[in-house]
Amino acid sequence: MEYILIGIIIIALLAYVSVILYQRRNSKAIDQLQTKEQSLNDIPVKQTLNEVRKMKLAGQSMTAFQKWEKAYQKLSHDSIAKMDQKLLAAETANNHYHFFEAQKLINGLKQELDDLRQQLNEILAGFQQLKKRQEKNQEQEKALEATYQKLRKQLLTKSFAFGTATEQLEAKLSYLEDAHNKFAKLAKHGDHVEAEGVLKQLDKDTTELNDLMTRIPPRYKEIKTEFPDQLRELRSGYEQLAQQRYAFYDINIPNELDQLDHDISTTNDDFATLDLTKIEAGNKAIEQRIDHLYDVIEAEMAARQQVEKDQADLEEFIMHAKRQSHALLIELDHLDQSYHLTHNEITDAEDLKKQIDEIEVNFAENSQKISDHKAVYSMVADDFKNAFTVLTNIEEKQKAINTSVQGLRKGEQEAQKSLQSFEFEIRNIKRQVEKLRLPGLAKAYLDFFFVVTDEINQLADDLNQVKINLDDITKQLIATQEDLNKLKEETNDLIDSALLTEQLLQYSNRYRHSHAEVAQAGDQAFQIFNQQYDYKQALETIATELEKVEPGSYKKVEDSYYSSKQDDLLD
C-alpha cells in the first residue's frame, strides 16, 4: 500500500511538472506573438498614407490612393483590432490550463500575423508607388523640358539648316509643347498615373524629334550646298575637257548632270515630309553617282596622260617586233631549205607575225581616233597596255624559236663528227679482226657487224641529203652508238677467246701424250675453232679438261695473256 501511494505521488508530481512546462511553453509562444504584433507598428503604412494624403491627387492617382486607404482601414478595424482579443483569449485559455484550445489559437495567430504583415507591406508598397511616381514624373518631365527647350532654341536660331523641314519640325515642337502643358495640368491636379502615360508618349516623341533634328542638317547641307557645288565643279571640268576634245564611252555627262540637278530638287522637296529614310537613300544614290562622274573624268584625264606617254614607245615596240619577225622568218626559210623543222617553228613564227599585224592595225586605228579627237582615252590606254603585254610575250617566243633553230647547224656539225668517229671505229674493228687471220667468223657476229655498218652508212646517207631531219639523225646517232659499243664488246670477246684458245692448245700439248682426254679435248676444240668459228666454245672445251689435269692452268695462261695484252697497249 505504501508503494502504491508513493507511485501515485510520483505520477502526480510528473503530471504537475508537465502541466507547468506546457503552460510555460505556450506563454512563451504567446509572448512572441505579442512581440510580433507590436512589430507591425514598425511598418510605416500610416505615416506614408499621411504623406500621400497631403499630395494633390486626382483621377487614377486618387482612385489608387482610395483603394489602398480603404484596404488599410479595413485591415486596421478588422484584423488588427481583433488580434488583441485573440491574443487575450489564448492567454486566458493557457492560464486555465485549456492547452488544446490555447495551442489552436496560437497556431492560428501565427498564420494571421504573417498574412497581416504581407498585406501591410503590399499596402505600403502601393502608397510608396504613388509617392515615387510623382517624384519620377517630375524628374523625367524636367529632363524632357530641357531637351524640348534645346530643340526649340536650335530650330529658332538655325532654321536655315533644316530647309523645307522647318515647318513640320515647328509643328512637332508645338505638339510637344501641348503635351508638356497637358502633363503639367495632370500633375497639378494630382493625376500622376495618367500623367505618367502622357510622359511616356512625350519621351518617345521628344526622342524622335531629337533624332530628326540631328539627322536632317547634314543631309540638307548635302542637298543645299555640297552636291550643287560638286555639280558646278563637274560642269566646269567637263566644259574644259569638251574644249580639249575629250570623248567618253557609254555615258552622256551633260544629261547625267541635268538628271542629278532634278534628283537634288526632288530630294529637297522630300524634307517637307520628314521622310528621312527616303531622303538618306536618295542622298546616298546622288553621292555615288557624283563620285562615279568624278571617277570617269579623272580616269579619262589620267588615261590621256598615259596614252601620250606610251604612244611613241608602243609604235617603236611594234616596229621592233616587225623587224624581229621579218628576220626570224627569213632565217627559218633559209634553214628550212637544209633542215626539216619539226617543231612548227615556221607556223608559230607566222602566227606571231599575225598578232603583230593585228596590234599594228589596232594601234593605227587608235592613233587616227586621237588625231580626229574621237578617242576615248581610257579605252585606248587599255588597248596600249594589252599591246605592250602581248608584244613582250611575242618577243620572248621569237627568242625561244630563234634559240631552238640556232642549234641546227651546230647539231649537224656534231652529227658529222660522230659519223667520222663511227666510221673510224668500224674500220678499226675490221682491221683488228683481219689482223688475227682467223679461219672464219660466226654468222651471228657477221650479221651484227653488217647491221652496224649499214647503220653508219645510212647515217652518212641521211647527213648527205640536201635537207636533213636532225631529230631523226639524233635518234640514229644514239642507236648507232649503242650498237657500236656492243659490237666493240663482242669483238673484244671474240679476239680474247680466239687468242686464249690458241695459247691453251699450245699449253695442252705437254699433256697430249700422257692424258688421252686432253688430246681428245684439244682435237674437239681445234675442230670447233676451225670449222664452227665458235671461239668462246672452243676455249671452254679445252680449258675444262686442262683444269682437270692441272688445276689453275687456265688462270695462269689467262693472266699471262692479259698481262702481255696490257703491255702491248702501253707500247
Side-chain angles (χ1 to χ4, degrees):
M1 187 71 180
E2 182 180 349
Y3 291 109
I4 295 173
L5 182 60
I6 292 172
I8 292 172
I9 293 171
I10 291 172
I11 292 171
L13 288 172
L14 290 174
Y16 176 74
V17 171
S18 298
V19 168
I20 295 301
L21 291 175
Y22 205 74
Q23 187 182 43
R24 287 182 178 178
R25 189 187 69 177
N26 285 344
S27 296
K28 186 176 181 181
I30 292 170
D31 290 342
Q32 291 175 346
L33 289 172
Q34 289 175 338
T35 302
K36 196 171 184 179
E37 183 210 19
Q38 293 174 359
S39 68
L40 294 177
N41 296 324
D42 295 334
I43 302 175
V45 179
K46 190 173 183 178
Q47 177 185 348
T48 307
L49 183 151
N50 292 330
E51 292 175 355
V52 174
R53 182 181 284 131
K54 295 176 182 179
M55 296 164 49
K56 292 182 178 180
L57 300 177
Q60 295 183 37
S61 295
M62 177 56 75
T63 300
F65 173 77
Q66 291 172 347
K67 167 192 167 184
W68 294 118
E69 183 181 35
K70 183 177 179 181
Y72 177 67
Q73 289 174 351
K74 182 178 180 181
L75 205 63
S76 299
H77 294 157
D78 296 342
S79 301
I80 296 176
K82 292 178 180 180
M83 187 63 62
D84 290 335
Q85 295 176 7
K86 291 180 180 180
L87 283 171
L88 180 60
E91 187 175 6
T92 301
N94 188 52
N95 290 336
H96 289 82
Y97 308 109
H98 299 154
F99 298 132
F100 292 108
E101 182 183 352
Q103 187 62 45
K104 183 179 180 181
L105 289 168
I106 289 170
N107 291 336
L109 285 168
K110 285 181 180 179
Q111 183 62 47
E112 289 181 20
L113 280 170
D114 290 339
D115 293 342
L116 187 58
R117 176 174 291 277
Q118 182 178 352
Q119 293 176 50
L120 286 172
N121 284 328
E122 289 178 359
I123 294 169
L124 176 63
F127 288 136
Q128 288 176 336
Q129 185 178 15
L130 288 170
K131 184 178 179 182
K132 290 179 180 178
R133 180 177 281 119
Q134 180 193 27
E135 295 171 352
K136 179 181 177 182
N137 286 352
Q138 289 174 345
E139 291 176 0
Q140 189 174 2
E141 198 277 335
K142 184 177 180 181
L144 291 175
E145 174 67 20
T147 303
Y148 164 79
Q149 292 298 336
K150 181 195 74 171
L151 297 177
R152 182 171 178 275
K153 179 179 179 182
Q154 183 180 358
L155 192 59
L156 287 172
T157 58
K158 298 182 179 179
S159 59
F160 60 86
F162 299 95
T164 55
T166 303
E167 185 176 348
Q168 286 296 323
L169 293 175
E170 288 176 344
K172 285 185 174 292
L173 272 176
S174 178
Y175 172 79
L176 289 182
E177 185 176 8
D178 292 342
H180 278 285
N181 292 335
K182 182 177 180 181
F183 170 81
K185 184 177 180 181
L186 290 170
K188 182 178 180 180
H189 288 84
D191 193 351
H192 302 292
V193 175
E194 187 174 351
E196 184 178 24
V198 172
L199 200 59
K200 286 181 180 179
Q201 185 62 43
L202 182 60
D203 182 35
K204 178 182 177 183
D205 294 339
T206 302
T207 301
E208 289 179 356
L209 180 59
N210 186 57
D211 180 62
L212 285 172
M213 292 181 65
T214 300
R215 291 162 60 190
I216 287 174
R219 300 292 78 82
Y220 183 72
K221 182 180 179 183
E222 289 173 344
I223 289 295
K224 195 64 178 178
T225 59
E226 292 179 8
F227 292 160
D229 288 348
Q230 290 172 341
L231 291 187
R232 280 191 291 273
E233 184 179 39
L234 286 168
R235 286 186 192 280
S236 175
Y238 173 76
E239 289 171 359
Q240 294 178 24
L241 295 181
Q243 291 174 4
Q244 298 174 35
R245 311 293 289 275
Y246 272 83
F248 297 87
Y249 175 74
D250 198 27
I251 185 171
N252 188 317
I253 293 180
N255 287 351
E256 184 68 15
L257 291 171
D258 291 342
Q259 184 61 48
L260 282 168
D261 274 331
H262 175 268
D263 292 346
I264 289 171
S265 177
T266 300
T267 303
N268 182 52
D269 294 339
D270 290 336
F271 280 94
T273 65
L274 299 182
D275 189 348
L276 260 293
T277 300
K278 182 179 179 181
I279 291 169
E280 288 173 342
N283 279 29
K284 184 65 176 179
I286 291 171
E287 180 184 16
Q288 291 174 345
R289 287 159 60 194
I290 289 176
D291 288 343
H292 176 64
L293 288 178
Y294 273 112
D295 291 341
V296 168
I297 290 175
E298 290 172 2
E300 285 303 320
M301 293 174 67
R304 181 169 185 171
Q305 293 179 358
Q306 190 65 43
V307 167
E308 291 173 349
K309 174 178 175 294
D310 292 341
Q311 189 172 9
D313 292 341
L314 180 57
E315 184 176 17
E316 176 57 32
F317 201 172
I318 292 171
M319 294 301 103
H320 169 74
K322 290 182 65 177
R323 290 192 296 270
Q324 292 289 97
S325 177
H326 181 70
L328 179 60
L329 286 170
I330 290 175
E331 175 68 8
L332 291 176
D333 182 62
H334 290 164
L335 291 172
D336 189 50
Q337 296 175 22
S338 302
Y339 303 98
H340 288 285
L341 301 178
T342 58
H343 298 287
N344 299 318
E345 289 88 350
I346 293 178
T347 300
D348 291 345
E350 288 175 345
D351 287 343
L352 295 178
K353 180 180 181 302
K354 289 178 182 178
Q355 293 183 49
I356 295 170
D357 292 342
E358 290 173 0
I359 291 173
E360 184 178 27
V361 169
N362 182 261
F363 176 78
E365 291 175 352
N366 281 324
S367 297
Q368 187 61 49
K369 289 177 182 178
I370 293 171
S371 298
D372 295 342
H373 304 292
K374 295 180 180 179
V376 178
Y377 283 100
S378 58
M379 298 176 68
V380 175
D382 288 341
D383 287 347
F384 280 12
K385 182 179 180 180
N386 181 63
F388 275 114
T389 300
V390 175
L391 287 173
T392 300
N393 291 334
I394 288 173
E395 187 174 43
E396 292 174 356
K397 291 177 181 178
Q398 288 174 335
K399 289 179 180 178
I401 294 172
N402 187 61
T403 300
S404 68
V405 299
Q406 288 306 310
L408 292 174
R409 289 196 176 91
K410 184 177 180 181
E412 181 185 7
Q413 293 172 359
E414 293 295 330
Q416 290 287 359
K417 289 181 181 179
S418 296
L419 174 62
Q420 293 173 10
S421 175
F422 294 164
E423 291 175 338
F424 173 78
E425 289 184 21
I426 198 71
R427 287 196 300 270
N428 188 46
I429 290 171
K430 185 177 180 183
R431 284 197 301 270
Q432 284 180 318
V433 175
E434 288 176 345
K435 185 179 179 181
L436 294 177
R437 297 180 183 276
L438 296 172
L441 295 170
K443 183 178 183 305
Y445 176 82
L446 284 173
D447 288 344
F448 187 52
F449 177 86
F450 288 127
V451 166
V452 176
T453 302
D454 289 344
E455 288 177 351
I456 294 173
N457 291 335
Q458 182 63 50
L459 181 61
D461 184 59
D462 289 345
L463 280 170
N464 286 329
Q465 298 294 317
V466 175
K467 190 172 183 177
I468 65 175
N469 188 325
L470 271 180
D471 282 349
D472 288 344
I473 288 172
T474 300
K475 294 176 182 177
Q476 291 181 53
L477 285 171
I478 294 171
T480 303
Q481 182 67 67
E482 291 177 352
D483 289 344
L484 186 60
N485 290 340
K486 184 178 179 182
L487 179 62
K488 286 165 67 177
E489 291 178 4
E490 291 185 6
T491 301
N492 287 332
D493 289 344
L494 182 148
I495 293 172
D496 291 339
S497 296
L499 293 177
L500 278 170
T501 301
E502 290 178 347
Q503 291 186 19
L504 281 177
L505 286 172
Q506 291 177 5
Y507 190 84
S508 68
N509 286 336
R510 67 182 66 182
Y511 299 107
R512 187 174 184 81
H513 300 293
S514 58
H515 293 77
E517 63 275 17
V518 173
Q520 184 180 358
D523 292 340
Q524 186 179 359
F526 186 80
Q527 187 270 335
I528 295 171
F529 188 94
N530 286 282
Q531 295 180 19
Q532 299 179 20
Y533 316 133
D534 190 346
Y535 304 113
K536 187 175 183 180
Q537 181 61 39
L539 178 62
E540 290 179 358
T541 301
I542 185 61
T544 300
E545 290 302 325
L546 192 58
E547 276 294 307
K548 294 178 182 179
V549 176
E550 183 185 343
S553 56
Y554 173 73
K555 182 69 168 56
K556 182 168 63 175
V557 173
E558 184 183 44
D559 289 346
S560 175
Y561 168 77
Y562 282 114
S563 176
S564 176
K565 183 178 181 180
Q566 184 66 30
D567 290 340
D568 291 341
L569 291 173
L570 293 174
D571 293 340

